[in-house]
Amino acid sequence: MTGTHDTASTHSGAPARHGHNGHGDHAHLVSALDLDAELMGGYLDDAAALIADTLGRTPGTIVDLGAGTGTGTQALARRFPEARIVAVDSSPEMGELVSRRAENAGFADRLDTVVADLDAGLPELGSPDVVWAAMSLHHVADPVGLLRAIAASLAEDGVVAIAEMADVPRFSSAREDPELQDLQDRCQAATAHAGWEALVDWTDALDDAGYDVLRHQTIEIERGGPSQSVARYARHWFSQFRHRLTHSSADPHPSALSPADVSALDDLLDEDNPTALHRRDDLTMRAGRLVWIARPRGAVS
């Protein structure tokens, strides 16, 4: 029986889940997460295989911190068909989506959902064998403290697995388009300078929290066209560049893009522009996910 345990739900474990107040914001968030899962979700099976190989046994309980719409939860349930799965998210609506996904996929009898604010600490989860945090840990106020709490709760030989973006996705055109590539280069440089929270290396934090890193691997993803989904994903990322890397003249910032780059982004995002991204069917996306698998130092392996 699927259970829902309520604690504070003011903060989400996933980067894009802040501020989803109201039906419109929630629907937009779900759409964005589903698009990301459609194009990037293939890495989850590879990551689950790494977890299985590193753990070296069949896990009894797996926790998905920042479960969102449940794409990762489902991948873990599929790879470990005997495990109990606990999906944690700050949003009750996301918990309901995970539960519906579990019903449709046939693992609802192995699922518990927990609504929890990870900034308030780790909820009571028993002694899980695996704690999985995909694109979520970087949005916690005290990630090292949370990692220490996870270490204290894990089963004796349990592991924590973390996934983050290796970099922002890159889009290339089947026809030569040096302007698009140059614009991406400048956007990526500005992104690195701005210190986007999703681009983070957890190696030192895991060491500070008392873990030995057992695996640290990049999983590459490539998706080609013709694909409306790739075009929509490109539009999503160039929108992020437009809104997060541009500033008014009254508030200059060293990571801000030039007026010419802002104009180029506006053209790519203009729905009426014949060269806009959403009209493109020739784009290929390349991206990657970094995966760390770690065990508390001194734990029995």
Side-chain angles (χ1 to χ4, degrees):
M1 183 70 67
T2 301
T4 302
H5 312 281
D6 291 300
T7 60
S9 59
T10 58
H11 181 87
S12 173
R17 292 171 208 158
H18 281 295
H20 51 279
N21 300 317
H23 178 75
D25 288 343
H26 178 71
H28 177 76
L29 173 62
V30 170
S31 177
L33 290 174
D34 284 346
L35 179 60
D36 186 83
E38 177 186 347
L39 293 174
M40 302 294 293
Y43 90 94
L44 290 165
D45 290 333
D46 292 335
L50 287 175
I51 292 170
D53 182 63
T54 306
L55 187 63
R57 63 174 177 81
T58 301
T61 302
I62 300 171
V63 172
D64 182 3
L65 287 182
T69 58
T71 303
T73 311
Q74 184 173 352
L76 292 165
R78 181 172 58 247
R79 180 61 180 79
F80 303 105
E82 298 177 4
R84 171 175 167 261
I85 311 293
V86 182
V88 181
D89 200 275
S90 72
S91 165
E93 294 86 358
M94 291 298 183
E96 293 171 5
L97 285 175
V98 177
S99 294
R100 289 200 294 272
R101 183 187 289 269
E103 288 282 356
N104 293 335
F107 65 94
D109 60 337
R110 297 190 285 124
L111 175 74
D112 287 305
T113 59
V114 176
V115 178
D117 175 6
L118 296 178
D119 280 353
L122 190 70
E124 175 55 48
L125 299 171
S127 298
D129 302 288
V130 177
V131 172
W132 165 252
M135 303 294 295
S136 59
L137 190 61
H138 67 254
H139 230 31
V140 176
D142 182 12
V144 172
L146 184 65
L147 284 168
R148 288 175 178 152
I150 292 169
S153 73
L154 281 170
E156 189 174 34
D157 62 345
V159 297
V160 61
I162 303 170
E164 294 284 2
M165 290 168 46
D167 208 334
V168 295
R170 291 281 304 195
F171 300 90
S172 58
S173 172
R175 57 182 181 268
E176 190 171 346
D177 192 345
E179 291 183 1
L180 179 66
Q181 296 309 308
D182 290 347
L183 178 60
Q184 285 185 94
D185 288 343
R186 293 190 293 275
C187 287
Q188 288 200 318
T191 297
H193 189 84
W196 280 17
E197 69 279 0
L199 303 175
V200 60
D201 186 332
W202 290 111
T203 305
D204 290 343
L206 284 164
D207 182 62
D208 291 344
Y211 287 81
D212 291 322
V213 175
L214 308 177
R215 305 289 289 265
H216 184 201
Q217 187 164 329
T218 301
I219 300 173
E220 303 289 350
I221 304 114
E222 181 172 337
R223 297 293 297 269
S227 170
Q228 279 298 307
S229 294
V230 172
R232 287 170 55 214
Y233 202 55
R235 190 180 196 283
H236 166 77
W237 276 103
F238 279 78
S239 295
Q240 292 289 307
F241 295 146
R242 175 62 177 86
H243 293 296
R244 298 187 64 176
L245 297 175
T246 58
H247 304 268
S248 70
S249 58
D251 182 29
H253 190 281
S255 68
L257 296 172
S258 70
D261 286 338
V262 173
S263 178
L265 288 171
D266 286 340
D267 287 342
L268 290 172
L269 298 170
D270 182 358
E271 293 189 358
D272 296 325
N273 191 316
T275 63
L277 286 168
H278 74 283
R279 300 178 184 273
R280 303 285 292 267
D281 63 359
D282 65 322
L283 296 177
T284 295
M285 178 206 75
R286 292 179 179 85
R289 289 288 188 260
L290 289 169
V291 177
W292 294 259
I293 303 177
R295 179 176 282 128
R297 197 168 293 129
V300 175
S301 60

